Amino acid sequence: MANPVELGARSAAQRLVTPQNPHLATDVEAALHTRQSTTRPDQYLDPISLGALIVSIASLAWAVYSDLRKQTPTPHRDVISRHVRIRLDQTEAPPRTLSPADRDRYIDITIEETLNAAQGSASLQD
């Protein structure tokens, strides 16, 4: 089975690449590679911080989606998004270079891509 966190993070990075941040996909790959590490840095440094943020959002989205599926077969995206935002606010400091509007865009796109990957993986199993 394909990993929805990895697929979602990679897809979100592709959608979020800009001329100001052309290496976002590479930064996400670096964050995915280090996410299995037993130690976690206290603060991510730019430019990897945006990649790490995407991976954190994708991981949270997958965890929330998996938890909510125990209660309902198709959790609503708004509910998942609300849970992710609450958990993210409790655990992650946003990168200083990211405006609130850009942070919201990163969150929305990453949740969307992760859920698309999760639902694609589930339909492949059926």
Side-chain angles (χ1 to χ4, degrees), residues 47-66:
I48 296 178
S49 64
L50 295 179
L53 177 64
I54 289 172
V55 172
S56 292
I57 295 166
S59 296
L60 283 172
W62 174 244
V64 169
Y65 174 79
S66 297

Side-chain angles (χ1 to χ4, degrees), residues 31-98:
L32 286 169
H33 180 73
T34 61
R35 85 175 213 190
Q36 299 300 331
S37 174
T38 56
T39 61
R40 182 175 172 182
D42 293 332
Q43 179 66 39
Y44 297 106
L45 302 174
D46 285 345
I48 296 178
S49 64
L50 295 179
L53 177 64
I54 289 172
V55 172
S56 292
I57 295 166
S59 296
L60 283 172
W62 174 244
V64 169
Y65 174 79
S66 297
D67 288 346
L68 291 175
R69 279 200 60 186
K70 294 173 187 170
Q71 299 167 2
T72 180
T74 55
H76 197 273
R77 285 183 191 239
D78 290 342
V79 174
I80 295 168
S81 180
R82 188 172 34 249
H83 281 269
V84 168
R85 288 173 193 281
I86 290 168
R87 288 188 188 176
L88 194 62
D89 287 341
Q90 293 171 347
T91 60
E92 298 288 330
R96 293 180 204 136
T97 59
L98 208 55

